[in-house]
Amino acid sequence: METTFIILKPDAVQRCLVGSIVTRFEQKGLQVVGMKMMKISAELAAEHYKDHAGKGFYAGLVRFMTSEPVVVMALRGVGAITVCRNLMGATFGSKAAAGTIRGDFGISNSFNLVHGSDSPEAATRELALFFKSGEVLDYARAGDSWVYDTSAGKAE
Ligand code: IDP
Ligand code: MG
């Protein structure tokens, strides 16, 4: 099982798309193991997006991400990092395929609704940045035996 880090960005909150986007992840079978609303500080945004510092869109990205509240989530599942990136779609809303979150709900290239970790290293780093110890929970869902085939002793 992998755990990935997701942000429902300020545009998702302002456009009342939180429920619709969470539903996409839940319907896929991903388990919500952490979730909270917060306002991202300038310091936290800079740390989170440090790989993008110096790029043309960086200042606007930090301004956008700190402008209004976001919802941050920890999502768990087999291959969760790649599964979530595929559900999100390509970075630019104008290019993202229909059927993806960015493809179905947005058309902007910067206001693209959702962030998702792009590697196991990024997921570990980002989860630790946004969630305190004890805020990501381990629990079993009643329906898990129908989400995964566990007959061989592991989730498949
Ligand atoms: P990702 O979110 O799909 O991983 P990244 O390349 O990591 O895409 O970029 C981080 C965020 O920065 C994007 O989600 C988007 O909000 C913004 N961004 C990236 N490239 C551009 C651009 O060329 N113009 C405007 N905003 C951009
Ligand atoms: Mg990225």
Side-chain angles (χ1 to χ4, degrees), residues 9 49 52 57 61 85 91-92 102 109-110 112 115:
K9 295 184 178 186
Y49 281 122
H52 294 304
F57 61 84
L61 175 62
R85 295 282 295 186
T91 299
F92 293 160
R102 287 164 167 173
N109 292 340
S110 42
N112 60 1
H115 164 85

Side-chain angles (χ1 to χ4, degrees), residues 29-142:
L30 291 151
Q31 183 186 21
V32 180
V33 291
M35 180 151 83
K36 62 184 176 183
M37 181 171 252
M38 64 183 290
K39 191 128 186 256
I40 299 179
S41 69
E43 295 72 29
L44 182 56
E47 181 61 29
H48 175 64
Y49 281 122
K50 67 179 181 191
D51 291 348
H52 294 304
K55 295 184 184 169
F57 61 84
Y58 175 77
L61 175 62
V62 170
R63 202 179 321 119
F64 164 51
M65 293 300 292
T66 58
S67 63
E68 292 290 342
V70 300
V71 174
V72 295
M73 304 175 74
L75 295 181
R76 186 169 295 159
V78 169
I81 295 167
T82 301
V83 167
C84 286
R85 295 282 295 186
N86 289 339
L87 288 174
M88 288 161 51
T91 299
F92 293 160
S94 62
K95 302 246 168 63
T100 66
I101 293 165
R102 287 164 167 173
D104 286 353
F105 294 131
I107 198 159
S108 166
N109 292 340
S110 42
F111 292 1
N112 60 1
L113 299 160
V114 65
H115 164 85
S117 307
D118 62 6
S119 68
E121 298 70 32
T124 301
R125 185 179 90 85
E126 293 169 0
L127 285 165
L129 270 180
F130 285 86
F131 285 104
K132 292 200 270 284
S133 168
E135 287 184 337
V136 176
L137 304 175
D138 296 323
Y139 67 99
R141 292 178 300 186

Side-chain angles (χ1 to χ4, degrees), residues 8-22:
L8 309 186
K9 295 184 178 186
D11 53 332
V13 174
Q14 293 295 325
R15 294 181 56 209
C16 303
L17 290 171
V18 170
S20 299
I21 296 172
V22 173

